Amino acid sequence: MLQITDKGLVIERLNEIIERLSTEMRNIYGNDINIDPDTPDGQLIGIFSQSLVDINEIIAGVYANSDPYTSVGNWLDSQVKYVGIERNRETYSYSPNVRLNVMSGTIIPSGYTVTDENGTEWLTTNSATSTGATLVMQFRSAEYGAFHLPANKELTPKTIVLGVQSVTTTSESIKGRLRESDASLLLRFMRSYTINSLDSREGLEAVLLSLPDVKDARVYENYTNATDAKGIEPHSINAIVIDGSDEDIATAIIKKKSLGCGLQGSNEVVIFYDGLDRIVKFDRATPIDVSVKVKVVRSGATVDVDTQSIKQRIADNQFKIGEDVLAGQLYASASGQDYIVKEILLNDTNLIASIGIRQYGRILIDN
């Protein structure tokens, strides 16, 4: 039977249900009734018992998914909406300024596809007709996810268009992302409890972290009468953010900051709030590219080590604002079954890459 106790929902297991139904059958028909599993009555008890187990499991699943800490998938999406949070959806990566050397009059259709050296496909987001020897167009990745294209990288056409001589990037790509995982969404949900904190710094940090597309945020506060060691001016706060829109960030800051508290940062955004134009200042975290050198030894003479996979797994590591990059953190990402990781060095010779308080570490696959 189902019970709600001080410890939560308690359900009967299959063996308990069979025992309970067998006892009730004996109470009705007497102790001499044959309810062995191979008899008709025994089989009927088995059918009823399995049906009850199935119903109990469904009820237990609904009960578990009513708690954000145990819910998953669409259930978790529904739970976090109660605190105004939504799961970050997947996005494409974009290479905004790709130069095509072409013959005049060449027509590039929407969906014109090229590949990079890693085999990733990129396609145009619109069509264009050249009036000269070059065209500059925007490409996006064919699949959702964070794909990196460096500047000055030649791409290989997959779509055949007469008149196209070469395709080359002129700037770094803008990385997209995959659909936010349950673990990441739950972490943002947990942080949301801090939004109503009486500590303005802690509360503002939680608000910024809950914004769409914001990957990380730190807020530094100086409540003294002198500029502190971090360079924060007296009675001011300095918010540092990775990604997210300027308008969302500025609106969150102006709504959450305390009256009379100064704002510091190199980014200035004008927000119309409470009947006035307000200037909101904050900083964008500066990415610090860290190079990684990995030494591996094959586990067998004929083993083929997939170096590209190792690079990708290491590049997938994400670091917080002000967090030093440690070689020891990367061993798990670099490890595999076909080889042994002997050594990892950062920036050629170091075990630690120091990161400033307004910076964040980044490992590009080309590094």
Side-chain angles (χ1 to χ4, degrees):
M1 293 186 298
L2 294 172
Q3 289 183 314
I4 301 293
T5 70
D6 57 350
K7 296 180 180 179
L9 177 69
V10 178
I11 64 172
E12 279 186 305
R13 300 302 175 185
L14 180 60
N15 62 319
E16 297 171 336
I17 295 174
I18 291 176
E19 182 63 30
R20 178 169 60 84
L21 293 184
S22 297
T23 300
E24 291 176 358
M25 288 285 282
R26 292 190 183 97
N27 291 337
I28 296 172
Y29 297 107
N31 290 330
D32 58 345
I33 185 174
N34 187 355
I35 52 175
D36 291 339
D38 58 349
T39 65
D41 287 333
Q43 292 178 25
L44 187 62
I45 289 175
I47 293 172
F48 288 159
S49 298
Q50 187 59 55
S51 298
L52 288 172
V53 166
D54 292 341
I55 294 171
N56 286 351
E57 292 295 341
I58 291 173
I59 294 172
V62 173
Y63 177 83
N65 281 301
S66 66
D67 182 349
Y69 293 98
T70 55
S71 60
V72 295
N74 292 336
W75 289 92
L76 181 58
D77 289 345
S78 298
Q79 295 300 320
V80 300
K81 285 180 181 178
Y82 288 112
V83 294
I85 295 176
E86 290 188 359
R87 187 188 299 269
N88 289 329
R89 302 301 174 184
E90 61 270 35
T91 60
Y92 295 107
S93 297
Y94 285 87
S95 187
N97 300 302
V98 179
R99 184 179 65 250
L100 292 85
N101 291 326
V102 296
M103 296 176 61
S104 181
T106 300
I107 299 174
I108 304 297
S110 176
Y112 173 80
T113 306
V114 297
T115 59
D116 60 25
E117 61 182 8
N118 298 317
T120 303
E121 293 186 356
W122 300 78
L123 49 89
T124 53
T125 57
N126 61 287
S127 61
T129 303
S130 66
T131 58
T134 61
L135 263 179
V136 176
M137 300 185 70
Q138 175 174 265
F139 282 67
R140 71 160 173 83
S141 58
E143 298 179 358
Y144 294 117
F147 299 102
H148 177 248
L149 269 181
N152 303 315
K153 204 73 172 178
E154 187 164 347
L155 305 174
T156 303
K158 183 176 181 181
T159 304
I160 303 302
V161 173
L162 297 178
V164 177
Q165 298 165 346
S166 64
V167 183
T168 310
T169 63
T170 62
S171 60
E172 283 200 5
S173 61
I174 302 168
K175 286 187 177 182
R177 62 164 183 258
L178 295 173
R179 185 173 183 264
E180 186 176 18
S181 67
D182 285 351
S184 174
L185 180 57
L186 182 58
L187 179 60
R188 288 203 296 126
F189 173 82
M190 294 167 64
R191 285 170 172 166
S192 71
Y193 287 120
T194 318
I195 290 176
N196 294 321
S197 169
L198 295 177
D199 184 319
S200 59
R201 181 204 63 78
E202 193 178 44
L204 174 56
E205 197 169 275
V207 171
L208 294 173
L209 287 167
S210 71
L211 295 176
D213 299 328
V214 169
K215 291 188 174 68
D216 195 25
R218 290 293 298 274
V219 178
Y220 301 113
E221 179 184 29
N222 179 13
Y223 52 82
T224 70
N225 294 321
T227 300
D228 65 13
K230 294 185 177 71
I232 312 298
E233 297 165 357
H235 305 289
S236 298
I237 58 174
N238 179 205
I240 300 96
V241 189
I242 301 176
D243 293 348
S245 76
D246 283 353
E247 185 175 353
D248 285 348
I249 294 168
T251 301
I253 292 173
I254 201 66
K255 285 183 176 181
K256 191 65 180 177
K257 83 175 189 71
S258 302
L259 292 176
C261 179
L263 297 175
Q264 182 176 332
S266 57
N267 270 37
E268 293 190 5
V269 180
V270 178
I271 291 292
F272 186 78
Y273 178 72
D274 200 20
L276 295 172
D277 284 334
R278 312 293 181 94
I279 298 176
V280 181
K281 298 180 181 181
F282 62 93
D283 281 319
R284 290 289 187 180
T286 303
I288 301 299
D289 291 329
V290 178
S291 65
V292 182
K293 183 183 293 183
V294 184
K295 181 179 180 181
V296 302
V297 177
R298 304 172 191 270
S299 58
T302 59
V303 169
D304 184 20
V305 178
D306 187 352
T307 57
Q308 192 61 37
S309 174
I310 298 174
K311 289 181 180 180
Q312 185 63 62
R313 294 199 305 273
I314 292 176
D316 286 342
N317 280 277
Q318 302 291 318
F319 302 95
K320 296 183 179 297
I321 296 169
E323 177 188 9
D324 291 340
V325 180
L326 308 178
Q329 292 176 298
L330 305 179
Y331 275 88
S333 301
S335 297
Q337 294 182 340
D338 300 328
Y339 56 88
I340 299 171
V341 179
K342 299 290 288 186
E343 184 180 53
I344 295 181
L345 294 176
L346 307 178
N347 298 329
D348 292 328
T349 60
N350 302 318
L351 296 177
I352 299 176
S354 297
I355 304 297
I357 62 171
R358 295 175 181 83
Q359 302 171 339
Y360 68 96
R362 181 177 66 176
I363 301 173
L364 302 178
I365 195 167
D366 292 336
N367 290 337

